[in-house]
Amino acid sequence: MKKDLDVIGELTELDKKHFLHPTSPIQQQQEQGPTFIFTEGKGVYLYDLAGNKVIDGMSSLWNVNIGHGRTELGQAAAEQMSKLAFTSSFATFSNEPAIRLAAKLAEVAPGDLSATFFTSGGSEANDTAYKLARHYWMLKGEPRRKKIISRTKSYHGVSMGATSATGLKPFRDFTNSLAPDFYYTNNLSSQSLRDVIEAEGPETIAAFIAEPIQGAGGVHIAPETYFIEVRKICDEYGILFITDEVITGFGRTGTYFGVEHYGVTPDMMCFAKGVTSGYAPLGGVMLSKDIHQQFIELSTGTLLHGYTYSGHPMGCAVALKNLEILENEQLMNNAKIMGEEMLKGFRSIQRMCQIVGEVRGLGLMGAVEIVKNKSSRERFSTPLAPVIVSEAAKRGLICRSVVFDGQDTIVFAPPLIISNKEIKSLIEILYDSIHAIEQKQLH
Ligand code: PMP
């Protein structure tokens, strides 16, 4: 034990001194050090150096879909690395895992999405989508079509293009110079999309991008007919429709891809995270058969876009094994059933707690809103979700608060392998945490 304490102390100091954390409160890190130093994961649980065992109610970053500690993926990675760790996909070079994964994705993706450009993650996938969409219009002889429209409360990543497309303003305000030609529509109104297109001029717009269910922005589910209307509007004005399935892909919402809930298919689709369940960094963009064909017919030179790790053999081998597990263990179906249980649990908490307003979810993406007044939905002047999330972490549950745009929301995305019993523990800890803070608030 003493040895562990020594190690924790040593790592804490090194962390403060040398590790600049992504999307982290920098002062808190300096004052308190890391909240957890994780050492191991098994199923829905994470273990840390201090001996804590916590439910990973976020699948870490919405990505560990098949759960922690799956040695099959470790084996797939080790086998591929031992045989061929890396080789280039530039200049028409190829490798078997990348080819097989591209073919597998064509088989499972919506509509006729059939060709994949690989990246290392979701931000690169988004930047790639914007660049390929613009290049497509250049090839088609419409170079004025370069504007990209996205939605309020959207999150598309932090590379320069993805930051510029992100509708959550604090991410854009973090830097004071953005990429040009990005515009935003109201996230729940298709009319708002039409208005922006009309105002900007349809002949200047390359693409509209949307997450089927918004994740980091607070788990927002669009009205039932929203995407049908969006698809129609994009067709009417000849605008490419891109879905960002970085969170919603690979079973998260109870179907292979989130857009399947809405009966429409995109022209391009970004993915990352769940494609490897986070066991290896990988992402990509898929193109419809028609767009791919246009690239083939109209391009004259080299496709001058490529990341060193596009088509990484180990990443692709891990993805193939991950998709095999996802399908063999019917985890999409489990996400659907357990998602219903999770939502039921949220509803019971809503009935028992005065400070819980709207609850929502689809598959294993869920949200609980904190309110001061249930009927008026008035919020507390200082959001309580962060305090509840800290309380939950102490009690053994990791979840996330969303306070952007005046929200006070707690979001969830547990691994798709979660059992009924584990959902019950998640709900119990959540209830205890909200109740504890509610008591403090009321007394
Ligand atoms: N798109 C969406 C919808 C996301 O949720 C994220 C990450 N949370 C990204 C893109 C960016 O992915 P990455 O962090 O892998 O660059």
Side-chain angles (χ1 to χ4, degrees):
M1 191 64 196
K2 162 129 187 2
K3 197 162 158 266
D4 281 354
L5 286 178
D6 286 348
V7 176
I8 294 172
E10 182 201 356
L11 292 179
T12 299
E13 286 318 304
L14 291 173
D15 186 282
K16 289 184 188 179
K17 205 163 162 190
H18 299 296
F19 190 177
L20 184 60
H21 285 254
T23 317
S24 282
I26 196 161
Q27 301 299 345
Q28 187 186 320
Q29 183 212 356
Q30 286 305 310
E31 282 159 24
Q32 298 165 20
T35 310
F36 294 104
I37 303 175
F38 292 118
T39 51
E40 218 183 320
K42 199 146 194 50
V44 300
Y45 293 101
L46 285 168
Y47 301 81
D48 81 347
L49 208 48
N52 295 302
K53 173 186 177 186
V54 289
I55 299 176
D56 185 2
M58 281 306 295
S59 301
S60 289
L61 284 175
W62 323 77
N63 58 341
V64 187
N65 287 9
I66 66 164
H68 296 280
R70 299 298 299 247
T71 51
E72 306 96 305
L73 294 201
Q75 269 160 15
E79 273 166 29
Q80 186 57 47
M81 274 191 182
S82 318
K83 214 164 121 193
L84 176 67
F86 179 74
T87 183
S88 165
S89 295
F90 284 28
T92 81
F93 293 6
S94 207
N95 67 79
E96 184 169 355
I99 297 169
R100 295 218 180 274
L101 180 59
K104 174 70 189 170
L105 290 169
E107 186 192 307
V108 299
D112 69 350
L113 293 168
S114 60
T116 299
F117 183 99
F118 289 110
T119 66
S120 322
S123 301
E124 285 183 0
N126 270 274
D127 274 24
T128 298
Y130 315 145
K131 281 179 73 179
L132 292 185
R134 287 166 174 162
H135 190 72
Y136 167 85
W137 288 117
M138 287 161 68
L139 292 175
K140 298 280 285 178
E142 293 193 56
R144 286 185 66 207
R145 282 193 185 264
K146 55 185 178 180
K147 293 178 186 168
I148 307 287
I149 304 176
S150 63
R151 300 156 79 198
T152 53
K153 294 197 172 71
S154 63
Y155 183 85
H156 297 294
V158 294
S159 55
M160 199 48 103
T163 298
S164 306
T166 289
L168 296 168
K169 207 168 161 294
F171 285 94
R172 300 203 306 272
D173 291 345
F174 179 77
T175 181
N176 59 4
S177 176
L178 291 165
D181 297 316
F182 286 88
Y183 296 81
Y184 315 95
T185 62
N186 178 292
N187 62 331
L188 303 177
S189 154
S190 61
Q191 182 58 41
S192 159
L193 173 61
R194 188 181 285 283
D195 293 345
V196 174
I197 294 170
E198 287 289 344
E200 290 302 319
E203 71 289 351
T204 67
I205 295 166
F208 169 64
I209 181 155
E211 300 155 86
I213 312 279
Q214 293 185 312
V219 181
H220 295 284
I221 304 169
E224 219 172 301
T225 57
Y226 174 81
F227 282 106
I228 291 183
E229 289 153 21
V230 157
R231 177 74 266 188
K232 255 197 220 146
I233 292 168
C234 288
D235 286 345
E236 191 181 323
Y237 294 106
I239 292 164
L240 299 181
F241 173 40
I242 308 171
T243 49
D244 181 344
E245 295 260 10
V246 168
I247 287 179
T248 50
F250 308 100
R252 172 60 52 202
T253 69
T255 49
Y256 227 118
F257 295 95
V259 80
E260 289 168 37
H261 290 285
Y262 301 105
V264 295
T265 57
D267 302 304
M268 296 168 75
M269 177 181 89
C270 302
F271 67 87
K273 297 191 190 276
V275 67
T276 59
S277 286
Y279 282 68
L282 187 75
V285 183
M286 295 193 72
L287 310 183
S288 71
K289 216 177 202 157
D290 179 55
I291 295 180
H292 185 214
Q293 196 55 37
Q294 301 288 317
F295 268 91
I296 294 167
E297 282 172 22
L298 301 173
S299 294
T300 50
T302 298
L303 195 148
L304 282 178
H305 182 76
Y307 301 100
T308 296
Y309 298 123
S310 290
H312 192 286
M314 183 278 288
C316 293
V318 169
L320 282 165
K321 182 54 81 178
N322 176 59
L323 299 189
E324 194 183 302
I325 292 173
L326 200 69
E327 291 179 11
N328 288 349
E329 298 183 9
Q330 300 179 0
L331 296 182
M332 288 148 240
N333 194 42
N334 196 57
K336 179 174 180 288
I337 297 165
M338 290 303 124
E340 282 159 13
E341 290 303 310
M342 186 168 80
L343 195 53
K344 258 192 236 163
F346 291 163
R347 292 203 178 108
S348 68
I349 294 176
Q350 186 187 40
R351 282 192 295 275
M352 291 187 289
C353 294
Q354 289 180 36
I355 62 168
V356 172
E358 184 179 287
V359 299
R360 53 184 179 266
L362 187 64
L364 284 169
M365 281 177 91
V368 168
E369 282 191 2
I370 304 302
V371 288
K372 191 170 171 189
N373 184 313
K374 264 190 212 263
S375 45
S376 70
R377 296 177 72 173
E378 184 196 344
R379 302 200 196 285
F380 289 99
S381 50
T382 308
L384 285 188
V387 192
I388 295 168
V389 165
S390 298
E391 183 69 25
K394 283 186 211 142
R395 292 169 182 262
L397 167 67
I398 294 180
C399 44
R400 188 198 274 198
S401 61
V402 175
V403 296
F404 305 116
D405 284 355
Q407 297 182 84
D408 193 0
T409 300
I410 310 169
V411 294
F412 302 83
L416 313 189
I417 41 108
I418 197 163
S419 68
N420 218 324
K421 199 165 151 239
E422 290 159 345
I423 288 278
K424 283 204 168 73
S425 312
L426 182 155
I427 294 295
E428 265 170 38
I429 300 173
L430 177 63
Y431 169 73
D432 290 344
S433 309
I434 297 178
H435 185 66
I437 302 301
E438 183 174 272
Q439 290 303 103
K440 267 193 208 155
Q441 203 61 32
L442 300 177
H443 297 293

